[in-house]
Amino acid sequence: MNKQELENRLIDFAASIIIVASNFEKNYAGNHLAGQIIRSGTSPALNYGEAQSAESSKDFVHKMGVCLKELRESFVCLKIIEKANLTTDLKNLSMAKIEANELISIFVSSIKTAKANMK
């Protein structure tokens, strides 16, 4: 997968998170987790853009690590949303969980490769 394809997947993931969050129950928990998942779910796309302009290999690994952290946070948040029944849009929720998990795997692999190339 090239840089542009990964960026497009991250943008698509961010958009899917926004769509999922727009269907949450309108209560305290729904509003709180909607804000949380929108922040963590859109962050990887934005931080990946920063990683592309990293000033060094170490900076690149750090920025990719931030993306990974936010993807893991999003994945856990999606699981909480599912357990708490905050949405009836289970199809998009399930698709977002699958994509988050796949993106996590991609970033783990990319970070390992980048670290190996630094040696």
Side-chain angles (χ1 to χ4, degrees):
M1 173 177 305
N2 67 37
K3 293 175 187 180
Q4 190 60 49
E5 290 169 336
L6 181 54
E7 181 177 286
N8 288 338
R9 277 185 77 169
L10 289 166
I11 291 167
D12 290 345
F13 177 71
S16 73
I17 290 296
I18 292 167
I19 292 165
V20 167
S22 71
N23 294 313
F24 288 178
E25 295 289 326
K26 303 299 182 217
N27 57 32
Y28 181 77
N31 294 337
H32 173 73
L33 288 171
Q36 187 67 37
I37 193 72
I38 288 171
R39 283 189 298 278
S40 66
T42 57
S43 175
L46 302 171
N47 281 298
Y48 184 70
E50 283 191 35
Q52 299 312 302
S53 298
E55 296 174 4
S56 66
S57 296
K58 186 176 176 182
D59 187 37
F60 175 77
V61 168
H62 171 73
K63 286 177 166 73
M64 293 291 282
V66 171
C67 293
L68 177 59
K69 175 182 126 349
E70 296 291 338
L71 286 165
R72 285 185 169 143
E73 179 179 335
S74 297
F75 185 69
V76 170
C77 194
L78 288 166
K79 293 191 320 187
I80 293 169
I81 291 157
E82 181 178 45
K83 290 271 186 187
N85 297 315
L86 292 177
T87 184
T88 56
D89 188 4
L90 300 179
K91 179 184 176 198
N92 283 325
L93 180 68
S94 178
M95 289 172 48
K97 282 176 47 187
I98 291 167
E99 182 65 0
N101 200 32
E102 289 179 8
L103 288 167
I104 287 167
S105 296
I106 290 167
F107 275 83
V108 166
S109 178
S110 294
I111 291 167
K112 281 182 183 176
T113 299
K115 285 181 176 179
N117 290 340
M118 288 170 53
K119 295 179 180 180

